[in-house]
Amino acid sequence: MEKNQDKQYTSYIVLCRGEYQMDEIDESKQIVLQIGGALKKYRKEKNMTLDDLSELTGVSKLTLGNIERGETNPTLAMIWKISKGISLPLLALFTSEKPVSLYRAGEGLRFSNDEKNWIIEPVFKSNDIEMCRAYLQPNSSYYPEGHHVNTTEIATVMTGSIEIQVNGEIYTLNQYDTISFRADYPHSYTNLTNSETVLHISLKYGF
């Protein structure tokens, strides 16, 4: 049962290079350990067992234990599920103690979905706001996981054009156009062009 439950979460954390050099493998492992550490810290602070956390997030106890120990590379869909279940911003599961953080396009940590047509790069996070760059490949669509209740999503097209469907309504955005909507509404992104579309996305959490 657990195996089937976890099988659907197949959006992998990836690094931007096609080939994994040793320092890239170390960075990926470090991110996995950060996620596990942050999750375990939250659970202990709330005096929760893995069973409690599993019931809250809908992720199996076995998988949660593996994440806490840094023994598995959690998927993007799984991280969203955990983030929503414990009412924390997605990027709160990643820690940075640097006084200045520089996020160059195409470098560092990236997340992709299973189809590899949607890629995000974390850019900034605070207590209730997080920002990322998003890349949607030509002639493809992305259907996000359900977001936190009362979260506002703001998307600006940096390159190309896109169709965004929110609650059944379709909006066409061109370069530098911006849209704001309730992120817990059903929504999707569709690139109907033959070129990659680049977006800047902000999430304002309402908790």
Side-chain angles (χ1 to χ4, degrees), residues 87-100:
S87 297
L88 280 180
L90 177 72
L91 298 185
L93 295 174
F94 304 88
T95 58
S96 176
E97 304 299 329
K98 298 177 181 178
V100 177

Side-chain angles (χ1 to χ4, degrees), residues 62-88:
L62 175 63
T63 298
L64 290 170
N66 287 337
I67 292 173
E68 286 193 358
R69 293 188 296 272
E71 295 175 356
T72 188
N73 195 350
T75 66
L76 178 56
M78 193 182 301
I79 295 171
W80 266 120
K81 201 172 182 69
I82 294 170
S83 168
K84 184 179 178 182
I86 62 179
S87 297
L88 280 180

Side-chain angles (χ1 to χ4, degrees), residues 14-177:
V14 298
L15 294 171
C16 60
R17 301 290 188 265
E19 297 180 358
Y20 288 85
Q21 303 297 330
M22 184 57 68
D23 58 340
E24 291 173 329
I25 294 173
D26 290 343
E27 182 178 356
S28 180
K29 180 62 176 177
Q30 184 63 33
I31 294 299
V32 170
L33 291 173
Q34 285 182 3
I35 295 172
L39 188 58
K40 186 172 184 178
K41 181 174 182 289
Y42 172 87
R43 184 171 64 81
K44 294 296 186 182
E45 287 176 348
K46 300 295 183 180
N47 294 315
M48 297 171 63
T49 65
L50 282 173
D51 285 316
D52 295 332
L53 190 59
S54 177
E55 183 175 348
L56 195 62
T57 62
V59 178
S60 72
K61 175 183 175 181
L62 175 63
T63 298
L64 290 170
N66 287 337
I67 292 173
E68 286 193 358
R69 293 188 296 272
E71 295 175 356
T72 188
N73 195 350
T75 66
L76 178 56
M78 193 182 301
I79 295 171
W80 266 120
K81 201 172 182 69
I82 294 170
S83 168
K84 184 179 178 182
I86 62 179
S87 297
L88 280 180
L90 177 72
L91 298 185
L93 295 174
F94 304 88
T95 58
S96 176
E97 304 299 329
K98 298 177 181 178
V100 177
S101 298
L102 176 61
Y103 303 94
R104 297 192 185 277
E107 298 182 7
L109 179 66
R110 310 181 96 191
F111 303 92
S112 77
N113 63 347
D114 185 43
E115 292 78 15
K116 302 296 189 291
N117 63 352
W118 175 264
I119 298 171
I120 66 169
E121 297 173 345
V123 173
F124 170 82
K125 65 181 174 69
S126 66
N127 289 335
D128 60 351
I129 297 175
E130 59 189 32
M131 302 177 186
C132 66
R133 277 183 295 268
Y135 304 82
L136 184 58
Q137 298 308 303
N139 302 301
S140 63
S141 298
Y142 172 64
Y143 302 88
E145 293 289 314
H147 292 343
H148 303 71
V149 175
N150 295 326
T151 296
T152 300
E153 187 159 342
I154 305 168
T156 300
V157 178
M158 306 307 296
T159 302
S161 63
I162 200 162
E163 281 191 357
I164 299 178
Q165 182 168 327
V166 183
N167 234 13
E169 293 286 333
I170 296 176
Y171 305 87
T172 300
L173 281 71
N174 297 310
Q175 189 173 29
Y176 305 133
D177 289 345

